[in-house]
C-alpha cells in the first residue's frame, strides 16, 4: 500500500454523480489475520486469465493438467519478480526503507510491480513450455489477452488501497480523495484509465485471434498495446519508480512498444500467407495429437480435442496411424471381440466336422447292410 493512501479516508467522483464513500482495504478479518481486497482481486484476476487461456488453448489440444502446471510456473516466479523489481528500484531511491531482511520480502505492506511480474512470469512459462515440448508462441498467443484481462481487474486492487492515482486535475472523471478533516484533493484516477485500456485491449485481441497470420502475433500485439497505454498513463502517476529523473516504467513501456511494433511489422511482411501452428504440442511431445487441415478449410480454428480425435478417426480409415487414447481403447476392445468371435467360430467348425464324420459313418454302414440284400 502506498504511504499516501493512509492519509485519505473517503473517495468520490463528484462530476460523475458519485458522492464520497469510505473504502476499507481489509475485506475480512480472521483473528489476527487480515485478508485484503487487493489480494482477493489479484487472485480473481489470475483465475480469470486461467479460464480465458483454457477456453482458447483447448481448441489447439491443450490438456487441462498441463495448463495448471504452466500457471504455477508463471504465477510463482511472477510474484517473486514483481517484488524483486519493486525493491530493486525503490532501494536505489529510498535505501533507508530496507534496514532489515524482513523489509525486502514484506509484500503484505505493498510493493509489487507488474513489469517484474510479467518478465519473471514469461521466463518461467517459457522454460516450462520447452520442458513439456510445446509451441511457445502459440500458447502465448492464447494466453496474453487473458493477462490483459487480469491486469484490468488487478488495478481495482489499487482502488481499494487508495493508491496508484495521478496528479491533481479538474478533468470530468476526476477522483476526490478526502482527509478525515474534510480537506480534499482531486486527482487523475489512473487505476481506472489503465483498467479500461487493458479491458479494451483484451476484447480487440480476442476478436483478432482467429485472424492472426503468424505465431506470436497476438502476444506481440498485447505487449505493444499495454506498453503504448502505460507509456502515457505512467506519466500521470505520483508513485512511480525512478532512475535519476526518468520514470522506470515509462521508459520500459516505450521500449516494449517500439520493439514489439517493429517485430509485428517485420513478421507481417515475412508471413504474407497465413502460417500458424494448429496444435500446441510439438511433434516430439508424447501428448502430440496429429492433425492436418487443408488450406482454406479451417478458417476459424474453432475446434476442440474431441474434434481433433474425430479427424484422426477419419484418417484411420485411410490407413493412417491414429494415436489418440480413445481410439487405442476402441481398437483393443474390438480386438478382444474379434478373438471371442474367432474362438466361437472355431468351436462351431469343430462341432460341424464331428457331425459330418458321424453322418459319413452312418451312410457307410447303411450301404454295407443294403448290398447283400440286392445280391
Amino acid at each position: 500500500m502506498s504511504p499516501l493512501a493512509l492519509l485519505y479516508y473517503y473517495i468520490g467522483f463528484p462530476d460523475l454523480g458519485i458522492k464520497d464513500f469510505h473504502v476499507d482495504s481489509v475485506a475480512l478479518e480472521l483473528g489476527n489475520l487480515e485478508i485484503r481486497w487487493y489480494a482477493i482481486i489479484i487472485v480473481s484476476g489470475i483465475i480469470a486469465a486461467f479460464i480465458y487461456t483454457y477456453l482458447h488453448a483447448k481448441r489447439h489440444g491443450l490438456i487441462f493438467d498441463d495448463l495448471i502446471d504452466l500457471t504455477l510456473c508463471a504465477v510463482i516466479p511472477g510474484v517473486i519478480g514483481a517484488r524483486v523489481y519493486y525493491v530493486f528500484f525503490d532501494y536505489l531511491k529510498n535505501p533507508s526503507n530496507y534496514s532489515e531482511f524482513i523489509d525486502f520480502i514484506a509484500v503484505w505492506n505493498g510493493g509489487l510491480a507488474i513489469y517484474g511480474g510479467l518478465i519473471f512470469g514469461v521466463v518461467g512459462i517459457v522454460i516450462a513450455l520447452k520442458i513439456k515440448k510445446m509451441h511457445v508462441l502459440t500458447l502465448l498467443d492464447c494466453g496474453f489477452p487473458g493477462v490483459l484481462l487480469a491486469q484490468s481487474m488487478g488495478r481495482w486492487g489499487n482502488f481499494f488501497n487508495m493508491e496508484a492515482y495521478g496528479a491533481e486535475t479538474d478533468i470530468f472523471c476526476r477522483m476526490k480523495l478526502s482527509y478525515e478533516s474534510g480537506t480534499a484533493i482531486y486527482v487523475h484516477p489512473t487505476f481506472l484509465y489503465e483498467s479500461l485500456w487493458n479491458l479494451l485491449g483484451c476484447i480487440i485481441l480476442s476478436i483478432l485471434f482467429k485472424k492472426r497470420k503468424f505465431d506470436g502475433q497476438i502476444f506481440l500485439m498485447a505487449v505493444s498495446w499495454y506498453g503504448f497505454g502505460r507509456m502515457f498513463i505512467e506519466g500521470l502517476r505520483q508513485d512511480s519508480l525512478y532512475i535519476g529523473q526518468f520514470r522506470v516504467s515509462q521508459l520500459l513501456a516505450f521500449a516494449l512498444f517500439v520493439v514489439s511494433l517493429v517485430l509485428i511489422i517485420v513478421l507481417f511482411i515475412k508471413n504474407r500467407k497465413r502460417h500458424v501452428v494448429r496444435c500446441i504440442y510439438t511433434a516430439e511431445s508424447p501428448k502430440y495429437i496429429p492433425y492436418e487441415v487443408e488450406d482454406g478449410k479451417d478458417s476459424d480454428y474453432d475446434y476442440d480435442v474431441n474434434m481433433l480425435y474425430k479427424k484422426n478417426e477419419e484418417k484411420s480409415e485411410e490407413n493412417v496411424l491414429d494415436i489418440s487414447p480413445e481410439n487405442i481403447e476402441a481398437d483393443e476392445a474390438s480386438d478382444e471381440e474379434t478373438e471371442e468371435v474367432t474362438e466361437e467360430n472355431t468351436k462351431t467348425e469343430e462341432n460341424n466336422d464331428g457331425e459330418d464324420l458321424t453322418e459319413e459313418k452312418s451312410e457307410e454302414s447303411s450301404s454295407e447292410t443294403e448290398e447283400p440284400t440286392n445280391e
Side-chain angles (χ1 to χ4, degrees):
M1 182 186 300
S2 169
L4 293 177
L6 300 176
L7 300 176
Y8 306 108
Y9 295 89
Y10 299 95
I11 294 178
F13 294 85
D15 293 342
L16 298 179
I18 300 176
K19 297 182 179 180
D20 294 356
F21 58 93
H22 176 68
V23 175
D24 193 344
S25 61
V26 179
L28 183 65
E29 293 185 5
L30 300 174
N32 294 327
L33 177 63
E34 293 182 345
I35 300 177
R36 297 181 178 274
W37 281 112
Y38 185 91
I40 294 175
I41 293 172
I42 292 297
V43 172
S44 299
I46 293 173
I47 294 173
F50 178 91
I51 295 173
Y52 179 96
T53 303
Y54 180 66
L55 292 177
H56 278 261
K58 74 174 185 178
R59 299 175 180 176
H60 296 265
L62 180 67
I63 298 173
F64 186 81
D65 290 345
D66 281 340
L67 182 56
I68 293 178
D69 295 339
L70 295 174
T71 301
L72 293 175
C73 291
V75 172
I76 296 175
V79 173
I80 296 173
R83 182 60 180 174
V84 170
Y85 183 99
Y86 178 86
V87 170
F88 177 80
F89 290 106
D90 189 49
Y91 183 82
L92 295 179
K93 184 179 179 181
N94 304 300
S96 60
N97 292 339
Y98 303 92
S99 57
E100 300 179 3
F101 174 76
I102 192 68
D103 296 328
F104 289 90
I105 62 174
V107 294
W108 49 88
N109 291 330
L112 295 174
I114 180 60
Y115 275 124
L118 289 175
I119 294 170
F120 278 59
V122 169
V123 171
I125 201 169
V126 168
I127 293 174
L129 288 170
K130 290 294 185 180
I131 293 174
K132 287 180 172 290
K133 301 184 185 303
M134 300 169 71
H135 292 291
V136 175
L137 294 178
T138 305
L139 195 283
L140 292 179
D141 278 348
C142 293
F144 244 72
V147 173
L148 290 181
L149 176 61
Q151 178 66 356
S152 176
M153 297 173 62
R155 279 305 176 197
W156 285 91
N158 298 131
F159 169 76
F160 280 95
N161 274 358
M162 288 182 281
E163 62 186 3
Y165 50 81
E168 293 191 50
T169 181
D170 58 356
I171 193 171
F172 76 97
C173 61
R174 59 183 178 165
M175 179 171 66
K176 179 182 178 181
L177 298 176
S178 303
Y179 291 99
E180 192 173 24
S181 61
T183 306
I185 60 173
Y186 299 87
V187 298
H188 282 284
T190 50
F191 80 91
L192 180 61
Y193 299 162
E194 189 171 334
S195 178
L196 295 176
W197 177 256
N198 290 328
L199 179 60
L200 179 61
C202 177
I203 294 172
I204 292 175
L205 295 180
S206 297
I207 296 173
L208 296 177
F209 182 85
K210 292 181 179 180
K211 298 181 180 180
R212 62 195 181 108
K213 293 182 69 69
F214 57 88
D215 294 314
Q217 177 184 337
I218 300 299
F219 165 67
L220 290 174
M221 292 180 71
V223 173
S224 178
W225 180 274
Y226 182 79
F228 184 77
R230 183 68 183 269
M231 183 172 57
F232 291 100
I233 296 172
E234 187 68 25
L236 300 174
R237 288 179 55 169
Q238 299 296 292
D239 57 350
S240 299
L241 298 171
Y242 283 84
I243 292 183
Q245 300 298 318
F246 300 98
R247 300 172 189 262
V248 178
S249 294
Q250 194 170 32
L251 289 175
L252 184 56
F254 175 74
L256 290 175
F257 169 68
V258 173
V259 172
S260 57
L261 183 61
V262 170
L263 288 174
I264 290 171
I265 294 173
V266 171
L267 292 173
F268 255 116
I269 296 174
K270 184 179 178 180
N271 297 277
R272 294 181 180 180
K273 292 185 178 180
R274 192 177 190 188
H275 179 73
V276 294
V277 174
R278 293 172 171 83
C279 180
I280 281 190
Y281 297 96
T282 65
E284 293 79 16
S285 172
K287 298 175 182 177
Y288 174 65
I289 302 171
Y291 180 59
E292 296 179 359
V293 181
E294 296 181 17
D295 292 339
K297 292 189 178 181
D298 191 29
S299 58
D300 59 358
Y301 294 86
D302 190 13
Y303 47 79
D304 58 20
V305 176
N306 293 328
M307 295 179 71
L308 289 173
Y309 289 152
K310 184 177 180 181
K311 289 289 183 181
N312 290 334
E313 289 173 2
E314 293 174 357
K315 288 184 179 183
S316 64
E317 295 176 359
E318 301 173 3
N319 297 324
V320 177
L321 179 60
D322 181 8
I323 63 172
S324 62
E326 294 177 359
N327 290 330
I328 292 175
E329 293 177 0
D331 290 341
E332 291 176 351
S334 62
D335 290 341
E336 292 177 358
E337 292 177 359
T338 302
E339 291 177 359
E340 292 177 359
V341 172
T342 303
E343 291 177 359
E344 292 179 359
N345 292 337
T346 302
K347 292 180 180 179
T348 303
E349 290 177 358
E350 291 176 353
N351 292 334
N352 291 337
D353 291 342
E355 292 177 357
D356 292 341
L357 291 174
T358 303
E359 291 178 357
E360 290 177 0
K361 290 181 179 180
S362 61
E363 289 177 358
E364 291 176 357
S365 60
S366 63
S367 61
E368 290 176 356
T369 54
E370 289 176 356
E371 287 178 0
T373 306
N374 293 333
E375 292 177 354

